[in-house]
Amino acid sequence: MDKANDPYKSMLNLISDVGAAAGMQAMPAIGEIVTPPPALTISYNGMILDSKWLWIDEYWLQGHERNTKGHLVSATQYRAGGSGEAAFASHNHDIHDDYTENIIMTDTWHTGDKVLMVPIVGQDNKSVEQFVILCKLVRLDGN
């Protein structure tokens, strides 16, 4: 397909131009995941947008690695040695240690998930050129 004649871009420009002519500004919207990452596609206003239109937080990519560090203060559970001798009476051990950990994230979006889409407006201050997909949305009333 010739990039200059991309129908998705034409549709987005048309929608943006109509909104701008009506005095509307680009506003956040709710999209629906059609295909989860890494081949992400999102349904938005009857159109399917693929990854060239989307920016996401790398947290949502499976296999994304996060590094943590902290300090743990705790104790083991009480356990008895079983011999009946005082040296093996029920006891625990204190834990008081620094730690570092690498966590590999395995969660991601799934087909049908609703996501928040924030438009990125072009230099003309009215045409939507791309979207930032920020988070998965859920409703508390179950709808």
Side-chain angles (χ1 to χ4, degrees):
M1 174 188 303
D2 180 8
K3 290 183 180 180
N5 294 324
D6 189 335
Y8 291 115
K9 186 171 185 175
S10 298
M11 290 287 280
L12 285 173
N13 287 338
L14 176 64
I15 290 168
S16 179
D17 290 343
V18 168
M24 302 167 79
Q25 295 181 1
M27 299 294 290
I30 297 174
E32 184 173 331
I33 300 295
V34 176
T35 309
L40 181 63
T41 58
I42 296 178
S43 175
Y44 168 73
N45 282 345
M47 297 178 289
I48 305 297
L49 303 176
D50 64 19
S51 60
K52 69 182 170 207
W53 300 101
L54 309 171
W55 289 88
I56 68 169
D57 185 327
E58 66 182 337
Y59 172 88
W60 289 103
L61 297 174
Q62 285 187 332
H64 171 66
E65 190 170 325
R66 309 263 324 211
N67 301 309
T68 63
K69 66 179 182 176
H71 187 82
L72 179 64
V73 176
S74 186
T76 61
Q77 294 182 3
Y78 282 89
R79 297 282 185 209
S83 71
E85 294 183 30
F88 298 106
S90 181
H91 66 281
N92 73 338
H93 298 274
D94 288 335
I95 300 171
H96 195 16
D97 291 317
D98 292 327
Y99 69 89
T100 58
E101 189 70 40
N102 290 344
I103 300 171
I104 297 174
M105 310 309 282
T106 59
D107 57 340
T108 191
W109 293 310
H110 301 284
T111 300
D113 285 347
K114 304 290 193 248
V115 291
L116 179 62
M117 302 178 66
V118 176
I120 299 172
V121 179
Q123 290 184 351
D124 63 2
N125 291 324
K126 60 182 181 179
S127 299
V128 174
E129 294 184 350
Q130 294 179 319
F131 291 90
V132 175
I133 312 305
L134 292 177
C135 56
K136 177 180 172 181
L137 302 171
V138 295
R139 288 185 54 137
L140 298 177
D141 64 1
N143 289 327

